[in-house]
Amino acid sequence: MVTSDRAWAIPTTYNGIVFRSRTEARWAVFFDGLGVPWIHEPEGYQLSSAWYVPDFWLPDQEVFWEVKGEMPTSEETKKAEELAAATGKEVLIAWGQPEESQGRCDYDVNEGAFWFFGELGGHDISYRWCVCPKCGKVGCEFDGRGARVCGDRCTKENKAYSYDHPRVLAAVETSRTHRFWDSKS
């Protein structure tokens, strides 16, 4: 009998918070490495299909961040769409741990790309963490286009890909190598 990875989540403590999985905890380490403020499981929402508690709220990005151990199921993507519709906020789903491969432009969607569910509905893939080339603000934008982090407020550059920016790569490495030794790690 084949068992899904979903059945093997390891509750993990990081920064005094117990996460439902090691993967969620690694994303928290990644956010800290980037200097991205986050709130774990900020509050629950009654959706049309179920009660739902999002994994993270990223206040600077004004986005919910969902973490899955493997490619999301249609039920999981439906809940993300419902959350976006109910709150009017964007929802991004990441599956797997933060990895350098998140920045490849030839990214294979079966290996942990980001899905976007906006307040107007629909979805998109290939969202990557990146850095504004002018002011250094961090964001998650389509294809890692750093010029989109601040919009026209900072730069008129067309794309300015920065998914491989040293800050992003350092945060990936920090999340990958962090060891969860005790309840305060």
Side-chain angles (χ1 to χ4, degrees):
M1 179 170 89
V2 176
T3 304
S4 168
D5 287 344
R6 286 173 171 78
W8 297 102
I10 301 169
T12 302
T13 301
Y14 169 68
N15 205 18
I17 298 170
V18 178
F19 294 88
R20 296 176 193 261
S21 71
R22 180 71 44 97
T23 303
E24 276 186 19
R26 291 217 182 275
W27 278 102
V29 172
F30 174 80
F31 296 143
D32 283 348
L34 273 180
V36 172
W38 53 272
I39 301 168
H40 181 250
E41 296 186 346
E43 63 181 288
Y45 297 88
Q46 182 60 56
L47 305 178
S48 59
S49 65
W51 178 256
Y52 193 69
V53 180
D55 295 326
F56 293 95
W57 170 249
L58 307 180
D60 286 1
Q61 285 74 24
E62 294 189 26
V63 66
F64 290 105
W65 188 269
E66 282 298 300
V67 175
K68 305 299 176 197
E70 55 191 43
M71 190 172 188
T73 66
S74 59
E75 180 180 320
E76 290 167 335
T77 58
K78 181 180 182 224
K79 287 179 184 175
E81 287 177 304
E82 289 179 22
L83 179 62
T87 63
K89 300 295 182 184
E90 297 172 355
V91 179
L92 288 107
I93 301 176
W95 58 94
Q97 300 179 40
E99 296 181 4
E100 286 182 35
S101 61
Q102 72 157 308
R104 290 197 326 248
C105 282
D106 60 343
Y107 201 71
D108 179 349
V109 298
N110 294 313
E111 294 180 5
F114 304 106
W115 286 33
F116 165 82
F117 299 91
E119 60 185 339
L120 301 177
H123 68 278
D124 202 353
I125 59 172
S126 298
Y127 278 73
R128 294 160 176 66
W129 285 94
C130 52
V131 179
C132 175
K134 187 167 183 183
C135 73
K137 182 177 177 183
V138 176
C140 188
E141 298 294 335
F142 180 76
D143 271 349
R145 296 177 181 183
R148 291 185 174 185
V149 172
C150 295
D152 288 341
R153 292 185 302 264
C154 275
T155 180
K156 301 283 186 190
E157 290 184 53
N158 185 22
K159 297 179 182 176
Y161 295 105
S162 61
Y163 51 78
D164 58 353
H165 190 280
R167 285 178 60 194
V168 175
L169 297 179
V172 167
E173 183 64 13
T174 298
S175 70
R176 189 183 70 75
T177 60
H178 184 83
R179 300 295 173 241
F180 301 96
W181 296 107
D182 59 39
S183 62
K184 296 179 183 175
S185 51

